[in-house]
Amino acid sequence: MTGDLILDVSDLKVHFPVRMGSGLRPNTVPLKAVDGISFVLHAGETLGIVGESGCGKSTLGRAILSLVRPTSGHIAWLGEELTHMEKRALRDKRKDLQLVFQDPLASLNPRMTIGEIIAEPLRSFSPERTSADRGRMVRDMMSRVGLSPQMTNRYPHEFSGGQCQRISIARAMILAPRLVVLDEPVSALDVSIQAQIINLLKDLQADYGLSYIFISHDLSVVRHMCDRVLIMYLGQVVEQAPVHTLFERPAHPYTINLIQAVPIPDPVKERAKQGPVLMGDPPSPLDPPSGCRFHPRCLRAEATCKTRAPVLETVGTGHEAACFRWRESL
Amino acid sequence: MAEPILTAEGLGVAFETPDGTVRAVTDLSFTLNKGECLGIVGESGSGKSQTFLAALGLLADNGTASGTVTFQGQNLLDLTQQKLNTIRGDRITMIFQDALTGLTPHMRMGDQLGEVLIAHQGLTKTAAPQRVLDLITRLRIPDPEKRLRMYPHELSGGMRQRMMIAMALLCEPDILIADEPTTALDVTIQAQVLHLLGGLKKHTKTSIILVTHDLGVVAGLCDRVMVMYAGRMVEQALVNELFYDPKHPYTRGLLASMPRLTDDVGDKTGRLSAIPGQPPNLQDMPGGCAFAPRCAAVQARCHTERPPLTQRDGMRRLACHLEGAS
């Protein structure tokens, strides 16, 4: 069902220096946004990256596209290492790697017409094309994403949120990329529009054989979109599994709590929900807890969890979890 | 047994803009009963927030409200700002999606919560802090003393929202209006805040109006639900009737378009049944039913004749030409 290995990320770390304290010698503390993440992605696959605000999921997405420089680790794209690649060589790879942001209007230049916006990647990457050729490609792409090609001369503010997201998608797709990182692409949209965009993304994937990295905090959308899911907590992966396994047999207590917390649009089921609500807020990534980073909020935490950090271990087919007590979940 | 506490009749909200008049809410009538949790569902621009901003005299300067909103025998829309100030924050309170803008940045949490009691209940500066601490403790906010010494920016998003709820509950209001209270929060924090609101519903007599676009949140908390589209109510029913037997094609479309964690609706290979098109521009409303251009069950007359909102079986009210709309 999925094809060749296209992306292989291993032990990726992205640390940002943050100045703490004041005076003449403020000390610098590393904010470990991404702290040792490994995963692979196959052609045609959709990998979901899920976690709460501040868990590092967007930084991970940007690091994969080489938009932030990783502190250490490796990113192999089609067998080529991206982390040490020269700028010019990297630019060449960018054609294949595209990004769609959450806020559709903010990611479009208000002073460009949507025709210009969608054509811009073509101008950058295939300057040899004639403008007539570009115009034709833009119009084809517009109708492909559900925008009327007559609207090329309009400006972003004339469009609704859902249409702006279609424009962003058209811009990302025009170079026929192989991987698109979708960073919360439907979170800002109304429910009825959200469904349209999800369907569009799936159709494009089927047509072009694209791979997606789908960053989201919405588990219902992830379940619908993704083949495989990584659950992140404070810069680390706590669980990774094929989508059905993750929702049917979650192993990590954090995953279990996340799934439990999603409100179900069904009054009887929602009110019959049992089990404790996950208490507390995620701790600051500047000062992550010792041992297992989830232990202060975990109902299963025991003495070991405070001192030793669990590593990802195989708990089933294609299913890994970083928890000492995962056996109690399955 | 159902005793109305807030009644809106023929409520309209209009904004004067350089491009003409925009009617955000049109001819809206509804009642809120004592102790009830009423859900208001709709998409951006459906008028769900403006309805309650109008009721509390909080519309933007270019907005005007018409009709009546009756609370304790008086029409809120006729009251002076001074009179409204004795009701707002005391008998009727409101919490917003963005808790940070609702809090004063340069006051410690304890002081700004205490101020509510001093202003509305005439408590002294020495008596207020204890009452605040009591409530915060009762709401099971961890480390209450420490939190009350903090400034809003020092609190996490979920904690701020809980502080907003605490502030709204200090005077034991008759009505709490919660406008997208959990939309900006992470799912685990949302669950905590919903748990808090659920406890409030169980243990106090406060009526709650929950404005949201999230049908999951409605399913857990509300007794009755009102669905709005393009400034009008299109359907209203008890929560179970609405979820298990939706009649209006828009309500059905909304329920069907949600990806779900449970059941097989959200199959990875399957498509979601999206509602085609987009909500109408309020400045350029279609004649007839506002939903007609997107409706799966549209008939010829839907484009010319606006369906009136009529009482159906039980508690249901429906604005659709399809009889029973099935």
Side-chain angles (χ1 to χ4, degrees):
Chain A
M1 156 190 118
T2 49
D4 303 337
L5 179 76
I6 55 167
L7 182 72
D8 187 347
V9 173
S10 62
D11 200 26
L12 190 71
K13 292 186 182 172
V14 183
H15 296 181
F16 297 108
V18 175
R19 273 164 54 135
M20 297 288 280
S22 52
L24 289 173
R25 309 263 318 262
N27 46 337
T28 306
V29 180
L31 187 153
K32 300 176 177 174
V34 174
D35 201 19
I37 286 186
S38 306
F39 65 89
V40 292
L41 183 72
H42 297 88
E45 191 182 28
T46 304
L47 176 71
I49 298 180
V50 176
E52 292 175 277
S53 333
C55 73
K57 55 191 191 298
S58 292
T59 304
L60 176 61
R62 281 166 173 67
I64 294 163
L65 299 179
S66 297
L67 295 173
V68 292
R69 187 169 284 280
T71 310
S72 66
H74 300 282
I75 303 168
W77 168 250
L78 301 172
E80 278 188 276
E81 179 62 39
L82 290 188
T83 46
H84 295 99
M85 199 172 270
E86 279 195 25
K87 260 196 174 163
R88 186 170 296 177
L90 192 59
R91 187 187 136 85
D92 207 40
K93 302 292 164 211
R94 288 248 159 86
K95 268 188 293 208
D96 287 339
L97 306 163
Q98 292 291 325
L99 178 62
V100 174
F101 298 95
Q102 172 172 0
D103 187 338
L105 194 54
S107 56
L108 302 175
N109 185 339
R111 301 172 65 168
M112 286 166 80
T113 65
I114 68 161
E116 289 165 350
I117 289 172
I118 299 170
E120 188 158 48
L122 285 176
R123 274 203 297 274
S124 300
F125 285 101
S126 4
E128 73 285 357
R129 282 183 197 280
T130 63
S131 75
D133 198 16
R134 280 203 296 267
R136 187 187 48 76
M137 286 179 75
V138 166
R139 284 190 299 276
D140 286 353
M141 185 48 75
M142 283 176 71
S143 43
R144 185 64 200 84
V145 300
L147 292 166
S148 157
Q150 277 105 52
M151 300 194 288
T152 38
N153 291 322
R154 300 228 198 140
Y155 288 90
H157 74 267
E158 299 176 63
F159 293 88
S160 66
Q163 284 174 310
C164 284
Q165 203 56 296
R166 289 178 195 270
I167 300 168
S168 300
I169 292 169
R171 175 179 60 185
M173 298 294 172
I174 193 114
L175 291 172
R178 305 193 50 178
L179 169 65
V180 181
V181 174
L182 304 160
D183 192 353
E184 303 266 13
V186 297
S187 306
L189 306 177
D190 277 315
V191 186
S192 71
I193 308 298
Q194 180 175 308
Q196 298 174 2
I197 299 296
I198 291 173
N199 287 343
L200 171 65
L201 289 168
K202 286 185 150 197
D203 292 347
L204 290 169
Q205 181 170 42
D207 290 358
Y208 299 126
L210 285 164
S211 304
Y212 286 142
I213 290 185
F214 190 86
I215 300 172
S216 179
H217 68 279
D218 187 333
L219 284 167
S220 329
V221 174
V222 164
R223 160 154 176 167
H224 197 80
M225 267 306 283
C226 301
D227 300 300
R228 220 150 37 84
V229 186
L230 292 186
I231 305 280
M232 279 182 74
Y233 191 74
L234 286 179
Q236 296 177 330
V237 172
V238 295
E239 183 161 8
Q240 97 161 279
V243 71
H244 283 284
T245 313
L246 190 92
F247 287 101
E248 277 150 34
R249 307 177 68 215
H252 197 284
Y254 179 60
T255 313
I256 295 170
N257 278 309
L258 270 186
I259 294 173
Q260 166 93 22
V262 178
I264 306 169
D266 181 318
V268 171
K269 285 184 190 157
E270 175 65 14
R271 286 166 209 226
K273 266 206 304 210
Q274 301 278 335
V277 174
L278 181 64
M279 294 313 285
D281 295 309
S284 160
L286 277 173
D287 181 22
S290 62
C292 172
R293 294 184 176 183
F294 185 60
H295 87 256
R297 299 173 81 190
C298 184
L299 293 166
R300 267 186 215 159
E302 51 189 10
T304 355
C305 305
K306 292 187 183 125
T307 51
R308 281 177 51 218
V311 289
L312 280 173
E313 53 182 301
T314 303
V315 305
T317 315
H319 187 183
E320 294 181 322
C323 177
F324 295 119
R325 303 180 63 178
W326 62 265
R327 281 179 187 82
E328 291 162 44
S329 311
L330 303 178
Chain B
M1 56 161 214
E3 193 185 336
I5 184 156
L6 187 80
T7 310
E9 284 199 58
L11 177 67
V13 179
F15 293 93
E16 290 305 327
T17 72
D19 301 330
T21 307
V22 175
R23 301 183 66 84
V25 180
T26 312
D27 193 21
L28 183 67
S29 305
F30 66 92
T31 53
L32 172 71
N33 296 318
K34 257 188 192 159
E36 182 187 39
C37 179
L38 175 66
I40 319 284
V41 176
E43 294 179 88
S44 326
S46 62
K48 57 192 194 302
S49 295
Q50 296 304 334
T51 299
F52 298 100
L53 292 175
L56 293 181
L58 296 172
L59 285 180
D61 288 342
N62 62 342
T64 46
S66 55
T68 60
V69 181
T70 313
F71 173 71
Q72 294 180 336
Q74 37 192 352
N75 179 6
L76 293 177
L77 303 184
D78 288 342
L79 297 183
T80 58
Q81 287 291 327
Q82 202 179 6
K83 203 81 203 291
L84 271 174
N85 279 342
T86 64
I87 297 173
R88 289 192 296 227
D90 184 36
R91 300 332 315 148
I92 306 179
T93 56
M94 191 156 179
I95 55 177
F96 301 93
Q97 175 173 343
D98 182 357
L100 192 58
T101 48
L103 297 169
T104 312
H106 62 274
M107 273 175 97
R108 290 180 195 277
M109 285 315 310
D111 294 338
Q112 50 186 311
L113 286 165
E115 198 180 41
V116 175
L117 291 169
I118 296 166
H120 288 295
Q121 308 221 316
L123 260 71
T124 61
K125 271 191 170 164
T126 44
Q130 190 54 48
R131 275 273 293 279
V132 169
L133 185 63
D134 287 349
L135 177 78
I136 298 286
T137 315
R138 215 163 59 232
L139 292 178
R140 304 225 181 118
I141 292 177
D143 284 336
E145 278 109 345
K146 187 174 141 205
R147 294 265 150 67
L148 290 174
R149 278 197 304 274
M150 288 179 159
Y151 290 97
H153 75 270
E154 298 178 283
L155 300 168
S156 67
M159 195 51 69
R160 274 180 216 140
Q161 196 55 277
R162 271 171 280 192
M163 286 292 182
M164 278 281 279
I165 295 175
M167 187 184 276
L169 295 178
L170 275 171
C171 299
E172 292 166 9
D174 296 313
I175 303 169
L176 170 71
I177 302 169
D179 188 355
E180 303 272 7
T182 60
T183 306
L185 305 177
D186 274 315
V187 62
T188 62
I189 310 300
Q190 163 170 285
Q192 295 171 19
V193 170
L194 291 178
H195 191 71
L196 176 68
L197 287 173
L200 174 73
K201 192 182 142 194
K202 222 180 280 170
H203 303 299
T204 69
K205 279 173 278 179
T206 301
S207 309
I208 304 175
I209 291 174
L210 185 69
V211 179
T212 180
H213 70 279
D214 188 335
L215 287 162
V217 171
V218 168
L221 275 179
C222 298
D223 302 308
R224 199 152 54 92
V225 192
M226 186 168 115
V227 182
M228 289 184 72
Y229 188 77
R232 290 178 190 267
M233 185 198 300
V234 293
E235 183 164 13
Q236 177 196 279
L238 293 174
V239 68
N240 284 2
E241 291 176 5
L242 191 96
F243 277 86
Y244 301 131
D245 188 19
K247 297 285 191 201
H248 198 284
Y250 176 62
T251 316
R252 292 177 176 198
L254 271 188
L255 284 165
S257 63
M258 291 196 71
R260 292 168 191 244
L261 276 189
T262 50
D263 42 70
D264 296 326
V265 183
D267 192 309
K268 148 80 183 155
T269 50
R271 295 169 58 85
L272 288 167
S273 66
I275 305 176
Q278 327 165 41
N281 181 346
L282 292 173
Q283 272 163 291
D284 182 23
M285 291 283 280
C289 175
F291 187 61
R294 304 176 75 189
C295 184
V298 68
Q299 302 169 331
R301 64 169 169 162
C302 300
H303 292 293
T304 50
E305 220 180 297
R306 190 174 50 73
L309 186 70
T310 52
Q311 190 76 38
R312 304 292 169 101
D313 51 321
M315 297 285 287
R316 192 186 304 266
R317 289 162 80 193
L318 183 65
C320 183
H321 284 310
L322 292 165
E323 198 53 51
S326 346

